[in-house]
Amino acid sequence: MFSLSSTCNTSDPPPVRLVNGSSPCAGRVEILLNGRWGTVCDDFWDLQDANVVCRQLNCGRAVAALQNARFGQGTGPIWLDDVNCNGQECSITACRHLGFGVHNCGHVEDAGVICEAHLGPGTNVTIPPPEETTHITQSHTSPPQTTQNVTLADGQIRLIGGNSSCSGRVEISFSGQWGTVCDDFWDVTDAQVVCRQLGCGRVLSAPGNARFGQGSGPIWLDDVRCDGQESMLSKCPHRGIGSHNCHHSEDAGVVCEAAAPVRLVNSGSRCTGRVEIYHNNQWGTVCDDLWDINDANVVCRQLDCGRARSAPQGAFYGPGSGPIWLDDVNCSGRESSITDCRHPGFGNHNCTNGTHGIYSNTLFVYPANNNSFAVPEKIPFSCVYSLDTDSTLNVAVGPLPVEGGVSGFGPNTVAQMRLYRDSGFTSAYPGGRVTMELGSPLYVGVTVDRRDQSFAVVLDDCYASHSPRPSSFGRYPLISNKCSADRRQVAVIENGSSLRARFSALFFLLQGEYRDVYLHCNLSLCDRRRTSCVPSCSRRRARSVSDSAPLKSLTVGPIICEYKYYKPDYKNL
C-alpha cells in the first residue's frame, strides 16, 4: 500500500468534527480541507484511528470505531482512505494515509466514531446494524442484557443554529436535558473554552442576544466567568446549575475558527489585520490585486465583524509568510465566504511578500539524437530572487488579448483547413480563436470538397506567422516544397494520396513572443490518373508535382499560447 505520513508541527492541523450523532463526541468523521468538509473512508478504520479523533476533539478515549456509514452518508469529497494511525498522533491527518483526496470508496463507507465523553459513567457501547439506532448497555449488567437510549453526559456541549458544528447557540446538557447559557458576562474567554472543548480551534466571536435564535427548555448557566484554561465550560465559575435571571432572548453564542477558515492577524483586534486563509493544511495570505471594499465586506461578515470600513493594500499590516493562497479576488459582496468569490484558483498568483520577485518558465527537453517528430518533456520551473539584486528580463511574460479570428475556408468552400485536438483528427476546434498550451502538438487537417476521387490535395507550403495575411513577412516554415521543414518539429502524416491532407507540428512561440499566431497553407489539386501525387521526401532536394492546379491559400487562427502557471515553493522566502 502506497501511503503518506506526516508529523505534528507548529502549524494547526485541519479541523475535524463528528456530525449526525447526538453530540459533538459521536458521529461521522469529517475533515476541513481546501475550504470544504469531507469524509473519511472506513478501509482499515479501527479503534486506534478513532482514538486520535477523540483526543483531537477533547472527547476522551474512543469506545467505538464505526464503519459502513453508521451515522449516515456524507456529501462532498472523501478526503482520507486507508488511514493507519499508531494512536499517538496529534491529529487524524498526521496518521499514514493514501494522500488527501486519494481513495477507492463511496460514501456508503464513511467512517464514524463514538468517544467516551459521549457516554454517561459506567456505560459501554453495543454496535447496531446500519439501519438501527445506537443503544447503550450498562457495563455492570450480566446477560441477558437490557438496553436503553443514549444518556447525555453532564457538561456535554453543542452549538446549534450556525452554519456548522463550530458555530451557533451554546447548549449544554445536565440531567439528560439540553439547555442554553445566558449571555450575562459572556465574552471571548468563555467562548474559547467552548471552542476548545468541541475541537473547533480558536474563538472568533462570542455573540449574545440570541444571535443564532432563541433556544427552548432550561437555561442551565448564567454569569459564566472562565479564565480560559478550563477543559470544559461546566468547570468555569457560574451562578449554579439552573440558577439565572435571564430569558432565551439572551442566549449566548459562539463562532469558532473551524467554522470560518479565515482570520485577521497582526493587529490588536480580531476584526482588523492582514487577511489569512486556511487551505491545504496551512495558513496563507491574499494578494491585494483588485482588492476592494466588496472583498473586505465578505471577510468581515464571515468573521461576524459587521461591515468593512476600509480595505488596506500594500501589506499595511505587515508581510505574511508561507503561501499566497488567493489573488485577483473579485467579490460581489454577497458571498458567504471569501473563497466563494471569483479568483484564479488557490495558489495561482503573481505576487510576493514584497521582498522577492518570481520568474517562471518551462524547459522543453527532447530525446537524445532526435531525428523525428516527438512531443518534448515539459519541465516547469520558477526562480525567486531578492529585489535587492539587479536583474534583467528579456523574454515574453504574458499573452496579449486577441479578438476575432479567421476560419480556414477557401473560395466557395472548395477547400477547408481545420485544427484538431487529437492525433486521430476526430475532434476539431471551432473556427476562429484557438487556445493551446505551449509545446503541445498542433494537428492540422485539410479537405477538398470534390466528388471526383481521382484527384488528391497536395500541401505545397505551410507556414506560421503573426499576421492573418498569407503574404506577410516573418514566416516560420512548417512544410516547405511539400515536405517537412524540420522533422523534429513537423510530421507530415498524409499528403497527395487523397482529397485529405494531414500533418502535426509542435506549437511554440514565434520569435519568443506571446502574440497571436496564424497558420497558412498553399495547396494544389493533383490528377492521380496522370502522375504520382505523393511527394518523395527521403532526400533533401527540390521536387515538384506535375499536372497540379494551385488553389487559393488557406488560413486559420489566431492560435493563442496558454501559459501554464507553475506554483513555486515560497517557504524559503
Side-chain angles (χ1 to χ4, degrees), residues 94 184 215 228 254 301 399 423 550:
D184 293 344
V254 165
R301 184 171 59 252
S423 59

Side-chain angles (χ1 to χ4, degrees), residues 32 35 163 166-167 204-205 211-212 254-264 270-271 275-278 283 286 291 294-308 326 329 331 333-341:
L32 181 66
N163 60 5
C166 290
S167 68
L204 293 180
S205 65
R211 174 73 62 85
F212 295 100
V254 165
V255 177
C256 305
E257 191 173 60
V262 63
R263 67 186 182 185
L264 299 176
R270 72 171 191 88
C271 291
V275 182
E276 293 194 352
I277 297 208
Y278 191 76
W283 286 101
V286 178
W291 187 254
N294 283 338
D295 311 321
N297 261 324
V298 174
V299 173
C300 290
R301 184 171 59 252
Q302 190 174 356
L303 293 175
D304 195 32
C305 289
R307 292 184 302 174
L326 296 183
V329 177
C331 304
R334 297 183 297 273
E335 294 85 355
S336 60
S337 167
I338 189 66
T339 55
D340 291 338
C341 301

Side-chain angles (χ1 to χ4, degrees), residues 309-323:
R309 294 188 176 182
S310 64
Q313 301 181 356
F316 185 83
Y317 291 99
S321 59

